Amino acid sequence: GRCYEGKKYFFGEERKRIWEKVFQESIERFEIQIYAWVLLDNHYHILFSLPQSIDNTSDSPRTDFALAQSITPLFSNERNDEMSATNFVTQHKTQVLTEFIRKLHKDTSRILNKHDQHKGRTVWYQYFDYCIRNIPDFWKHFNYILKNPLKHGLVHSLEESLLYPHSSNPTWLRRFGAESIHEGFCKYPVKEVI
């Protein structure tokens, strides 16, 4: 997501904590699985997946397809059942994605504008989503997020980027160690950041 006109609305610790609090609330509300994230002064990046199942009412897990099949019209002249199930799942996941981003943007804007006594100001401009295609694509995007503080000059080295506090980087550094992360950068390089 990018701030309106590239303005640095999230400069400073306090403002970044506002975003991080709303981010955590949004993750929990929509059951988003986060892999990597970074918040900079005027934008953020998140690598995540949407909930695998949309049936939150029963104790036994069901797949999206099984749930969709259970409510798809039974008459063949209404729709192709398999296509309807797929479309249903896709439409639901698109709605979850949209609502997740909408909550993140709406709530951070409202809190920040109240903090700054600037009612109605536009904080967010837009966001782009991208569907990860395969394992190398996942790791390239993961590495891009890890290197983003370096790319934008907030730190002076990759080592400092791994310690950047407004990101998932310190978590991954503790979990994998610097050597494993460097191996990942070698295997899945992010050329425009190096």
Side-chain angles (χ1 to χ4, degrees):
R2 186 170 82 85
C3 289
Y4 184 67
E5 296 180 340
K7 291 183 180 174
K8 296 182 177 185
Y9 288 121
F10 293 93
F11 65 88
E13 296 295 314
E14 181 182 11
R15 299 166 86 80
K16 284 183 172 66
R17 281 194 299 272
I18 290 170
W19 185 92
E20 291 167 1
K21 182 178 184 294
V22 174
F23 178 55
Q24 186 60 43
E25 291 168 356
S26 301
I27 291 166
E28 291 169 7
R29 178 174 177 187
F30 293 100
E31 300 178 356
I32 302 295
Q33 174 68 50
I34 300 296
Y35 301 107
W37 65 274
V38 64
L39 172 64
L40 304 152
D41 292 348
N42 66 353
H43 72 283
Y44 65 85
H45 297 281
I46 309 170
L47 180 60
F48 66 94
S49 64
L50 297 169
Q52 292 303 308
S53 178
I54 58 177
D55 180 21
N56 296 324
T57 59
S58 72
D59 293 334
S60 59
R62 296 172 69 183
T63 65
D64 290 342
F65 186 77
L67 176 62
Q69 287 286 33
S70 71
I71 62 172
T72 298
L74 299 175
F75 304 105
S76 60
N77 63 349
E78 289 183 350
R79 288 192 204 177
N80 175 301
D81 287 345
E82 184 175 339
M83 183 60 102
S84 296
T86 302
N87 286 344
F88 175 83
V89 170
T90 301
Q91 182 177 6
H92 176 77
K93 288 194 174 196
T94 300
Q95 183 178 2
V96 170
L97 170 63
T98 302
E99 291 300 318
F100 169 67
I101 298 299
R102 181 178 292 140
K103 176 180 175 16
L104 181 60
H105 287 188
K106 182 184 79 161
D107 290 357
T108 53
S109 295
R110 181 180 44 78
I111 294 167
L112 200 61
N113 285 343
K114 183 177 180 181
H115 178 273
D116 295 346
Q117 298 179 350
H118 203 294
K119 187 177 180 181
R121 172 182 58 187
T122 301
V123 173
W124 296 106
Y125 173 62
Q126 62 191 29
Y127 81 96
F128 297 98
D129 56 56
Y130 172 81
C131 184
I132 299 297
R133 306 291 182 222
N134 52 42
I135 292 171
D137 194 33
F138 173 91
W139 287 111
K140 286 177 182 178
H141 282 82
F142 183 90
N143 289 343
Y144 179 82
I145 290 172
L146 264 62
K147 282 189 168 184
N148 215 247
L150 177 61
K151 175 183 178 185
H152 291 283
L154 296 174
V155 297
H156 302 293
S157 67
L158 178 57
E159 289 71 25
E160 288 180 19
S161 188
L162 297 177
L163 298 170
Y164 184 70
H166 304 290
S167 70
S168 56
N169 296 3
T171 300
W172 292 115
L173 179 60
R174 284 190 304 275
R175 186 168 179 187
F176 291 136
E179 188 174 320
S180 293
I181 290 174
H182 286 290
E183 287 176 20
F185 285 126
C186 291
K187 187 170 182 179
Y188 303 105
V190 182
K191 292 182 174 65
E192 70 272 18
V193 183
I194 295 176

